[in-house]
mmCIF file of all heavy atoms in Angstrom:
data_model
loop_
_atom_site.group_PDB
_atom_site.id
_atom_site.type_symbol
_atom_site.label_atom_id
_atom_site.label_comp_id
_atom_site.label_asym_id
_atom_site.label_seq_id
_atom_site.Cartn_x
_atom_site.Cartn_y
_atom_site.Cartn_z
ATOM 1 N N GLU A 26 91.119 -21.370 -28.522
ATOM 2 C CA GLU A 26 90.964 -22.827 -28.584
ATOM 3 C C GLU A 26 92.142 -23.473 -29.302
ATOM 4 O O GLU A 26 92.704 -24.473 -28.834
ATOM 5 C CB GLU A 26 89.648 -23.199 -29.289
ATOM 6 C CG GLU A 26 88.395 -22.768 -28.548
ATOM 7 C CD GLU A 26 88.080 -21.266 -28.658
ATOM 8 O OE1 GLU A 26 88.563 -20.607 -29.602
ATOM 9 O OE2 GLU A 26 87.376 -20.756 -27.767
ATOM 10 N N VAL A 27 92.519 -22.925 -30.455
ATOM 11 C CA VAL A 27 93.634 -23.485 -31.227
ATOM 12 C C VAL A 27 94.940 -23.343 -30.444
ATOM 13 O O VAL A 27 95.718 -24.303 -30.326
ATOM 14 C CB VAL A 27 93.742 -22.809 -32.617
ATOM 15 C CG1 VAL A 27 95.054 -23.167 -33.305
ATOM 16 C CG2 VAL A 27 92.561 -23.217 -33.484
ATOM 17 N N LEU A 28 95.191 -22.169 -29.890
ATOM 18 C CA LEU A 28 96.431 -21.958 -29.134
ATOM 19 C C LEU A 28 96.481 -22.827 -27.883
ATOM 20 O O LEU A 28 97.547 -23.349 -27.537
ATOM 21 C CB LEU A 28 96.600 -20.479 -28.794
ATOM 22 C CG LEU A 28 96.871 -19.567 -29.997
ATOM 23 C CD1 LEU A 28 96.802 -18.103 -29.586
ATOM 24 C CD2 LEU A 28 98.195 -19.893 -30.662
ATOM 25 N N SER A 29 95.355 -23.027 -27.223
ATOM 26 C CA SER A 29 95.315 -23.908 -26.047
ATOM 27 C C SER A 29 95.685 -25.334 -26.438
ATOM 28 O O SER A 29 96.473 -26.001 -25.746
ATOM 29 C CB SER A 29 93.926 -23.900 -25.399
ATOM 30 O OG SER A 29 93.649 -22.642 -24.835
ATOM 31 N N ALA A 30 95.129 -25.814 -27.537
ATOM 32 C CA ALA A 30 95.442 -27.169 -28.009
ATOM 33 C C ALA A 30 96.928 -27.288 -28.343
ATOM 34 O O ALA A 30 97.563 -28.308 -28.045
ATOM 35 C CB ALA A 30 94.581 -27.519 -29.217
ATOM 36 N N GLU A 31 97.490 -26.255 -28.949
ATOM 37 C CA GLU A 31 98.921 -26.277 -29.270
ATOM 38 C C GLU A 31 99.764 -26.291 -28.001
ATOM 39 O O GLU A 31 100.757 -27.017 -27.911
ATOM 40 C CB GLU A 31 99.288 -25.077 -30.147
ATOM 41 C CG GLU A 31 98.709 -25.155 -31.543
ATOM 42 C CD GLU A 31 99.014 -23.932 -32.404
ATOM 43 O OE1 GLU A 31 99.590 -22.945 -31.894
ATOM 44 O OE2 GLU A 31 98.676 -23.963 -33.594
ATOM 45 N N LEU A 32 99.375 -25.499 -27.006
ATOM 46 C CA LEU A 32 100.100 -25.481 -25.732
ATOM 47 C C LEU A 32 100.014 -26.832 -25.015
ATOM 48 O O LEU A 32 100.948 -27.224 -24.308
ATOM 49 C CB LEU A 32 99.554 -24.379 -24.813
ATOM 50 C CG LEU A 32 100.040 -22.966 -25.100
ATOM 51 C CD1 LEU A 32 99.129 -21.945 -24.429
ATOM 52 C CD2 LEU A 32 101.475 -22.786 -24.634
ATOM 53 N N GLU A 33 98.909 -27.528 -25.188
ATOM 54 C CA GLU A 33 98.716 -28.824 -24.527
ATOM 55 C C GLU A 33 99.408 -29.973 -25.251
ATOM 56 O O GLU A 33 99.562 -31.052 -24.692
ATOM 57 C CB GLU A 33 97.224 -29.131 -24.394
ATOM 58 C CG GLU A 33 96.532 -28.241 -23.381
ATOM 59 C CD GLU A 33 95.032 -28.457 -23.306
ATOM 60 O OE1 GLU A 33 94.396 -28.675 -24.355
ATOM 61 O OE2 GLU A 33 94.516 -28.422 -22.179
ATOM 62 N N ASN A 34 99.841 -29.763 -26.482
ATOM 63 C CA ASN A 34 100.494 -30.813 -27.263
ATOM 64 C C ASN A 34 101.912 -31.032 -26.720
ATOM 65 O O ASN A 34 102.733 -30.111 -26.719
ATOM 66 C CB ASN A 34 100.536 -30.422 -28.740
ATOM 67 C CG ASN A 34 101.069 -31.517 -29.624
ATOM 68 O OD1 ASN A 34 101.900 -32.329 -29.227
ATOM 69 N ND2 ASN A 34 100.587 -31.538 -30.858
ATOM 70 N N SER A 35 102.194 -32.232 -26.278
ATOM 71 C CA SER A 35 103.505 -32.514 -25.671
ATOM 72 C C SER A 35 104.651 -32.446 -26.683
ATOM 73 O O SER A 35 105.816 -32.401 -26.282
ATOM 74 C CB SER A 35 103.491 -33.885 -24.987
ATOM 75 O OG SER A 35 103.225 -34.896 -25.934
ATOM 76 N N ASN A 36 104.338 -32.407 -27.981
ATOM 77 C CA ASN A 36 105.374 -32.302 -29.005
ATOM 78 C C ASN A 36 105.537 -30.877 -29.539
ATOM 79 O O ASN A 36 106.181 -30.672 -30.569
ATOM 80 C CB ASN A 36 105.096 -33.270 -30.158
ATOM 81 C CG ASN A 36 105.437 -34.700 -29.785
ATOM 82 O OD1 ASN A 36 106.364 -34.941 -29.030
ATOM 83 N ND2 ASN A 36 104.673 -35.635 -30.294
ATOM 84 N N SER A 37 104.934 -29.910 -28.859
ATOM 85 C CA SER A 37 105.103 -28.496 -29.195
ATOM 86 C C SER A 37 105.513 -27.742 -27.931
ATOM 87 O O SER A 37 105.067 -28.079 -26.840
ATOM 88 C CB SER A 37 103.793 -27.883 -29.720
ATOM 89 O OG SER A 37 103.443 -28.427 -30.957
ATOM 90 N N GLU A 38 106.348 -26.745 -28.106
ATOM 91 C CA GLU A 38 106.760 -25.903 -26.981
ATOM 92 C C GLU A 38 106.770 -24.444 -27.422
ATOM 93 O O GLU A 38 107.181 -24.125 -28.535
ATOM 94 C CB GLU A 38 108.162 -26.295 -26.487
ATOM 95 C CG GLU A 38 108.226 -27.699 -25.935
ATOM 96 C CD GLU A 38 109.632 -28.134 -25.513
ATOM 97 O OE1 GLU A 38 110.586 -27.310 -25.600
ATOM 98 O OE2 GLU A 38 109.777 -29.293 -25.108
ATOM 99 N N PHE A 39 106.286 -23.583 -26.546
ATOM 100 C CA PHE A 39 106.300 -22.136 -26.760
ATOM 101 C C PHE A 39 107.228 -21.497 -25.727
ATOM 102 O O PHE A 39 107.241 -21.907 -24.559
ATOM 103 C CB PHE A 39 104.902 -21.537 -26.549
ATOM 104 C CG PHE A 39 103.920 -21.824 -27.637
ATOM 105 C CD1 PHE A 39 103.154 -22.985 -27.625
ATOM 106 C CD2 PHE A 39 103.725 -20.918 -28.669
ATOM 107 C CE1 PHE A 39 102.224 -23.245 -28.612
ATOM 108 C CE2 PHE A 39 102.789 -21.165 -29.668
ATOM 109 C CZ PHE A 39 102.043 -22.336 -29.635
ATOM 110 N N TYR A 40 107.937 -20.464 -26.155
ATOM 111 C CA TYR A 40 108.812 -19.709 -25.263
ATOM 112 C C TYR A 40 108.565 -18.222 -25.481
ATOM 113 O O TYR A 40 108.473 -17.760 -26.618
ATOM 114 C CB TYR A 40 110.284 -20.033 -25.542
ATOM 115 C CG TYR A 40 110.622 -21.457 -25.185
ATOM 116 C CD1 TYR A 40 110.407 -22.484 -26.101
ATOM 117 C CD2 TYR A 40 111.100 -21.782 -23.919
ATOM 118 C CE1 TYR A 40 110.675 -23.799 -25.769
ATOM 119 C CE2 TYR A 40 111.363 -23.103 -23.581
ATOM 120 C CZ TYR A 40 111.149 -24.100 -24.510
ATOM 121 O OH TYR A 40 111.401 -25.409 -24.170
ATOM 122 N N PHE A 41 108.474 -17.485 -24.379
ATOM 123 C CA PHE A 41 108.318 -16.037 -24.422
ATOM 124 C C PHE A 41 109.684 -15.372 -24.221
ATOM 125 O O PHE A 41 110.463 -15.795 -23.360
ATOM 126 C CB PHE A 41 107.403 -15.536 -23.311
ATOM 127 C CG PHE A 41 105.943 -15.824 -23.496
ATOM 128 C CD1 PHE A 41 105.144 -16.113 -22.393
ATOM 129 C CD2 PHE A 41 105.341 -15.778 -24.747
ATOM 130 C CE1 PHE A 41 103.791 -16.364 -22.547
ATOM 131 C CE2 PHE A 41 103.988 -16.028 -24.900
ATOM 132 C CZ PHE A 41 103.206 -16.317 -23.789
ATOM 133 N N ALA A 42 109.930 -14.324 -24.984
ATOM 134 C CA ALA A 42 111.047 -13.417 -24.722
ATOM 135 C C ALA A 42 110.453 -12.244 -23.959
ATOM 136 O O ALA A 42 109.448 -11.667 -24.385
ATOM 137 C CB ALA A 42 111.681 -12.945 -26.020
ATOM 138 N N GLU A 43 111.039 -11.929 -22.821
ATOM 139 C CA GLU A 43 110.533 -10.842 -21.978
ATOM 140 C C GLU A 43 111.629 -9.833 -21.682
ATOM 141 O O GLU A 43 112.795 -10.198 -21.545
ATOM 142 C CB GLU A 43 110.033 -11.388 -20.641
ATOM 143 C CG GLU A 43 108.864 -12.322 -20.718
ATOM 144 C CD GLU A 43 108.470 -12.885 -19.374
ATOM 145 O OE1 GLU A 43 109.362 -13.271 -18.584
ATOM 146 O OE2 GLU A 43 107.267 -12.938 -19.106
ATOM 147 N N GLN A 44 111.194 -8.597 -21.595
ATOM 148 C CA GLN A 44 112.077 -7.533 -21.136
ATOM 149 C C GLN A 44 111.268 -6.678 -20.189
ATOM 150 O O GLN A 44 110.158 -6.243 -20.537
ATOM 151 C CB GLN A 44 112.591 -6.714 -22.312
ATOM 152 C CG GLN A 44 113.609 -5.682 -21.897
ATOM 153 C CD GLN A 44 114.271 -5.060 -23.101
ATOM 154 O OE1 GLN A 44 114.736 -5.744 -23.995
ATOM 155 N NE2 GLN A 44 114.314 -3.731 -23.099
ATOM 156 N N ASP A 45 111.793 -6.437 -18.999
ATOM 157 C CA ASP A 45 111.089 -5.658 -17.975
ATOM 158 C C ASP A 45 109.673 -6.194 -17.748
ATOM 159 O O ASP A 45 108.700 -5.435 -17.684
ATOM 160 C CB ASP A 45 111.049 -4.171 -18.354
ATOM 161 C CG ASP A 45 112.439 -3.579 -18.506
ATOM 162 O OD1 ASP A 45 113.338 -3.974 -17.738
ATOM 163 O OD2 ASP A 45 112.628 -2.747 -19.412
ATOM 164 N N ASN A 46 109.551 -7.522 -17.653
ATOM 165 C CA ASN A 46 108.276 -8.217 -17.414
ATOM 166 C C ASN A 46 107.241 -8.008 -18.505
ATOM 167 O O ASN A 46 106.060 -8.205 -18.300
ATOM 168 C CB ASN A 46 107.689 -7.849 -16.053
ATOM 169 C CG ASN A 46 108.567 -8.316 -14.921
ATOM 170 O OD1 ASN A 46 109.068 -9.444 -14.940
ATOM 171 N ND2 ASN A 46 108.781 -7.459 -13.939
ATOM 172 N N LYS A 47 107.680 -7.606 -19.698
ATOM 173 C CA LYS A 47 106.781 -7.447 -20.838
ATOM 174 C C LYS A 47 107.175 -8.470 -21.899
ATOM 175 O O LYS A 47 108.358 -8.620 -22.221
ATOM 176 C CB LYS A 47 106.905 -6.030 -21.412
ATOM 177 C CG LYS A 47 106.118 -5.805 -22.698
ATOM 178 C CD LYS A 47 106.387 -4.408 -23.253
ATOM 179 C CE LYS A 47 105.916 -4.226 -24.663
ATOM 180 N NZ LYS A 47 104.533 -4.136 -24.896
ATOM 181 N N ILE A 48 106.184 -9.177 -22.434
ATOM 182 C CA ILE A 48 106.440 -10.141 -23.500
ATOM 183 C C ILE A 48 106.703 -9.364 -24.787
ATOM 184 O O ILE A 48 105.863 -8.580 -25.226
ATOM 185 C CB ILE A 48 105.255 -11.110 -23.669
ATOM 186 C CG1 ILE A 48 105.036 -11.903 -22.383
ATOM 187 C CG2 ILE A 48 105.485 -12.043 -24.853
ATOM 188 C CD1 ILE A 48 103.729 -12.675 -22.342
ATOM 189 N N ILE A 49 107.880 -9.589 -25.377
ATOM 190 C CA ILE A 49 108.271 -8.834 -26.566
ATOM 191 C C ILE A 49 108.433 -9.727 -27.799
ATOM 192 O O ILE A 49 108.657 -9.233 -28.900
ATOM 193 C CB ILE A 49 109.559 -8.023 -26.316
ATOM 194 C CG1 ILE A 49 110.728 -8.939 -25.944
ATOM 195 C CG2 ILE A 49 109.312 -6.962 -25.239
ATOM 196 C CD1 ILE A 49 112.074 -8.228 -25.860
ATOM 197 N N GLY A 50 108.319 -11.023 -27.608
ATOM 198 C CA GLY A 50 108.430 -11.945 -28.723
ATOM 199 C C GLY A 50 108.180 -13.361 -28.251
ATOM 200 O O GLY A 50 108.055 -13.606 -27.051
ATOM 201 N N TYR A 51 108.095 -14.288 -29.219
ATOM 202 C CA TYR A 51 107.912 -15.686 -28.829
ATOM 203 C C TYR A 51 108.421 -16.634 -29.900
ATOM 204 O O TYR A 51 108.629 -16.258 -31.057
ATOM 205 C CB TYR A 51 106.461 -15.969 -28.470
ATOM 206 C CG TYR A 51 105.511 -16.167 -29.626
ATOM 207 C CD1 TYR A 51 105.098 -17.441 -30.002
ATOM 208 C CD2 TYR A 51 105.006 -15.083 -30.343
ATOM 209 C CE1 TYR A 51 104.212 -17.629 -31.055
ATOM 210 C CE2 TYR A 51 104.126 -15.261 -31.386
ATOM 211 C CZ TYR A 51 103.726 -16.543 -31.735
ATOM 212 O OH TYR A 51 102.860 -16.728 -32.781
ATOM 213 N N LEU A 52 108.624 -17.861 -29.455
ATOM 214 C CA LEU A 52 109.121 -18.954 -30.274
ATOM 215 C C LEU A 52 108.178 -20.133 -30.113
ATOM 216 O O LEU A 52 107.703 -20.401 -29.005
ATOM 217 C CB LEU A 52 110.518 -19.352 -29.766
ATOM 218 C CG LEU A 52 111.082 -20.714 -30.157
ATOM 219 C CD1 LEU A 52 111.452 -20.743 -31.636
ATOM 220 C CD2 LEU A 52 112.302 -21.048 -29.295
ATOM 221 N N LYS A 53 107.906 -20.844 -31.213
ATOM 222 C CA LYS A 53 107.189 -22.113 -31.149
ATOM 223 C C LYS A 53 108.002 -23.148 -31.909
ATOM 224 O O LYS A 53 108.382 -22.923 -33.063
ATOM 225 C CB LYS A 53 105.792 -22.032 -31.765
ATOM 226 C CG LYS A 53 105.061 -23.373 -31.666
ATOM 227 C CD LYS A 53 103.733 -23.385 -32.381
ATOM 228 C CE LYS A 53 103.078 -24.755 -32.178
ATOM 229 N NZ LYS A 53 102.054 -25.020 -33.172
ATOM 230 N N VAL A 54 108.290 -24.279 -31.246
ATOM 231 C CA VAL A 54 108.987 -25.388 -31.894
ATOM 232 C C VAL A 54 108.110 -26.634 -31.821
ATOM 233 O O VAL A 54 107.303 -26.795 -30.898
ATOM 234 C CB VAL A 54 110.368 -25.663 -31.250
ATOM 235 C CG1 VAL A 54 111.320 -24.496 -31.477
ATOM 236 C CG2 VAL A 54 110.251 -25.989 -29.773
ATOM 237 N N ASN A 55 108.275 -27.504 -32.815
ATOM 238 C CA ASN A 55 107.514 -28.759 -32.897
ATOM 239 C C ASN A 55 108.466 -29.915 -33.183
ATOM 240 O O ASN A 55 109.434 -29.759 -33.922
ATOM 241 C CB ASN A 55 106.506 -28.709 -34.054
ATOM 242 C CG ASN A 55 105.501 -27.602 -33.904
ATOM 243 O OD1 ASN A 55 104.932 -27.392 -32.846
ATOM 244 N ND2 ASN A 55 105.270 -26.863 -34.978
ATOM 245 N N PHE A 56 108.121 -31.068 -32.630
ATOM 246 C CA PHE A 56 108.849 -32.294 -32.954
ATOM 247 C C PHE A 56 107.825 -33.390 -33.209
ATOM 248 O O PHE A 56 106.633 -33.222 -32.927
ATOM 249 C CB PHE A 56 109.805 -32.750 -31.847
ATOM 250 C CG PHE A 56 109.861 -31.857 -30.652
ATOM 251 C CD1 PHE A 56 109.045 -32.058 -29.554
ATOM 252 C CD2 PHE A 56 110.741 -30.789 -30.628
ATOM 253 C CE1 PHE A 56 109.093 -31.220 -28.456
ATOM 254 C CE2 PHE A 56 110.787 -29.955 -29.522
ATOM 255 C CZ PHE A 56 109.968 -30.166 -28.443
ATOM 256 N N GLY A 57 108.304 -34.508 -33.715
ATOM 257 C CA GLY A 57 107.430 -35.663 -33.940
ATOM 258 C C GLY A 57 106.225 -35.307 -34.783
ATOM 259 O O GLY A 57 106.318 -34.574 -35.763
#
């Protein structure tokens, strides 16, 4: 629920780092 709300927030963005189609890390940035 919390992660869904964060993903839906237009002032937050998540990025996955992938290698061989496997998620190996991630980034979350916020503005405003």
Side-chain angles (χ1 to χ4, degrees):
E26 295 76 21
V27 168
L28 292 171
S29 293
E31 291 177 354
L32 280 163
E33 290 176 322
N34 186 329
S35 61
N36 284 327
S37 293
E38 296 177 3
F39 287 87
Y40 293 86
F41 287 145
E43 296 177 317
Q44 185 170 310
D45 300 324
N46 295 316
K47 174 184 166 73
I48 299 168
I49 60 172
Y51 79 102
L52 162 71
K53 181 186 182 200
V54 294
N55 300 314
F56 358 92

